[in-house]
Amino acid sequence: MTEKIDLNKAYLPSEEVVVREIEGEIVIVPLTSGIGDLEDELLTLNETGRDIWSRLDGARPLAEIVRDLEAGYDAADGLVREDVVGFLQELCDRRMIVAKDRDKD
Amino acid sequence: MTAKSYVRKVRSGEDRLWRASAPALARLDVELTERCNFACRHCSVGLPAGDRAARAREWPAARWKALLSEAADLGCLVVRLTGGEPALRDDFEDIYVHARRLGLRVMLFTNAALVTPGLARLLADVPPLEAVEVSVYGLTPESSEAATGTPGSFAATRRGLSLLGERGVSFVVKGAVLPPTRGEMDGLEAWAAGLPGLAGPVSWVTLLDLHSRRDAARSAVIAGLRMEAGEFVRLARRGGEAAVDEWREFCGRDGRPRGDRLFSCLPAAASAAVDAYGRLQYCLGLRHPDTVYDLAAGSLREAVTDFLPRLRERRAAGPAYLERCGRCFLKGLCQQCPAKSWAEHGTLDTPVEYFCDVAHAQAVAAGLLERGKKAWTVSDGAARAARRNGA
């Protein structure tokens, strides 16, 4: 059972992936087994995906990141939050991001 | 903000990964050692496992790791670790893990005989992201060991494959059509189909290359193992006419002769190879001294952005090449290239009769050429192929 995305938590890229920037593309490469759908697939992010990904520093709660993004995008109320949560849930299900465990700080 | 389209899934081999510009280096072939635990008579590389002089010259892990880091900085996505037998090196796992931690996908070429439970576990836990390519010679200990020249090799490879299968490591089997194994193709394919972990059909090495260091004695042995052109056509037709249709399609797609172009190998455009001693080559087979870049005296970046592009511009000057290969419409079938010319003749641009014979036999089988006619004397070759394709 994968974790539900929580707006009060901070997230960061998992140590089970390697994130590379190649010719302007963010490419997420699985490092350990069981990441992603198929072994021969890589993930790249579009501009919006990059915008979200680049803010995942493990320090700021997701709600704060959503507020930042809402200020930069012309979108209907709630749409940005819905999109960000949906996108991060997909990455979380693939074990590509993890919630920062504040107790370990 | 538009919904649900932030992630794009691509396969690593697709150029479409980059929408604007491609990296200077997409793939790096690394020959970690020329030494091998097998002594295959048909091998264009292998040195004995215990060759101390070769071992002493091989780059240490630290050099390889630095090179792989440089490759990743250049945008490289895939590294092929090959040999010889790469797992023969004590530091193989160290180099492999470094490559994966850089986000490189690893194509591992091996005979699997040195796969241990520990290595199988590593490949399962930190997968290479490409199916491991395992050379399997023969269906029985007798045929296998006649090919490998190594007692115990049959059992060792089978043991390695079992370990990979048990751990769920994806692999593919590569066979070689050699005198001892020629009658075993169907049997090997049937056996391989039942292996846990098999990720694709068996691929076959059919047309053998001569020794890439131009060892005359080794090359003579390899030449003696080659199949005749007619045999190659017969084997290609084993599963029906699909292969022959494909030959016709190749020629119809681009039958324009090479002219004085030497390097027409498009997949190699953004790739490079490095031998066991740190010398960069256009591909692993091309060891002509004029086409080798010593990485000890330069950088990978300079090699791929300056040396290789200049090399690709080199033109053929050999009269026989210009007269024959330069005017031939069978370039889609023929394996003629600078690496083959180097291994056979020590030049970059001398026609290789063996590959020429095979390509002509293919063209006759495909109905593109009359028996006995030379393809370079046919002025409408490309049009012929296009017509046959449309027919």
Side-chain angles (χ1 to χ4, degrees), chain B residues 40-318:
Chain B
C40 301
R41 298 169 69 218
H42 67 279
C43 183
S44 62
V45 181
L47 293 173
D51 188 324
R52 289 184 182 181
R55 186 175 185 165
R57 291 175 56 220
E58 287 168 7
W59 260 18
R63 297 293 294 272
W64 286 120
K65 287 159 76 171
L67 183 79
L68 292 171
S69 298
E70 205 182 339
D73 287 345
L74 288 168
C76 183
L77 263 179
V78 182
V79 61
R80 174 163 64 146
L81 299 182
T82 184
E85 170 51 52
L88 197 57
R89 288 182 60 125
D90 296 337
D91 51 13
F92 169 74
E93 292 186 13
D94 186 23
I95 295 167
Y96 170 77
V97 169
H98 183 78
R100 289 293 294 112
R101 284 193 182 285
L102 289 167
L104 293 164
R105 302 167 73 92
V106 176
M107 298 169 73
L108 172 58
F109 282 20
T110 178
N111 57 41
L114 300 175
V115 172
T116 60
L119 178 55
R121 196 179 315 119
L122 173 64
L123 294 171
D125 292 347
V126 184
L129 305 181
E130 300 278 347
V132 176
E133 300 199 20
V134 182
S135 299
V136 178
Y137 303 122
L139 201 51
T140 66
E142 294 72 28
S143 61
S144 175
E145 288 163 19
T148 65
T150 309
S153 57
F154 176 80
T157 291
R158 297 283 172 123
R159 195 168 50 242
L161 285 169
S162 293
L163 287 168
L164 295 177
E166 284 163 16
R167 285 284 173 182
V169 178
S170 293
F171 62 85
V172 290
V173 166
K174 293 189 303 189
V177 186
L178 303 166
T181 63
R182 205 165 285 174
E184 298 181 340
M185 293 176 77
D186 291 339
L188 193 92
E189 286 172 359
W191 163 77
L195 292 175
L198 192 79
V202 175
S203 63
W204 293 98
V205 175
T206 49
L207 302 177
L208 303 177
D209 292 334
L210 298 189
H211 194 257
S212 62
R213 297 271 179 218
R214 306 203 70 246
D215 180 314
R218 295 276 303 269
S219 284
V221 170
I222 297 168
L225 300 171
R226 281 174 161 174
M227 67 176 77
E228 297 291 326
E231 174 76 351
F232 174 80
V233 171
R234 192 185 68 74
L235 285 179
R237 282 179 148 154
R238 216 166 42 105
E241 288 300 291
V244 179
D245 293 341
E246 207 172 57
W247 298 342
R248 216 175 279 125
E249 194 190 319
F250 283 158
C251 290
R253 205 182 301 151
D254 182 13
R256 282 173 303 169
R258 287 187 172 97
D260 64 355
R261 218 157 28 112
L262 263 180
F263 292 91
S264 53
C265 179
L266 291 176
S271 70
V274 182
D275 78 3
Y277 321 108
R279 288 175 307 205
L280 181 131
Q281 304 169 177
Y282 186 82
C283 66
L284 281 174
L286 185 53
R287 305 195 199 267
H288 189 296
D290 291 353
T291 64
V292 170
Y293 179 97
D294 188 356
L295 287 167
S299 69
L300 183 61
R301 179 178 292 278
E302 183 184 63
V304 301
T305 59
D306 182 46
F307 175 76
L308 287 180
R310 279 191 287 114
L311 179 61
R312 274 194 283 274
E313 291 306 312
R314 279 185 68 159
R315 299 285 150 175

Side-chain angles (χ1 to χ4, degrees), chain B residues 15 128 377:
Chain B
D15 292 333
T377 65

Side-chain angles (χ1 to χ4, degrees), chain A residues 7 12 17 20-22 42 50 77 95 102 104:
Chain A
L7 286 164
L12 75 167
V17 296
R20 303 181 57 191
E21 181 158 1
I22 306 172
L42 304 174
R50 286 180 61 147
D77 279 356
R95 299 190 353 234
R102 286 167 182 273
K104 288 182 182 169

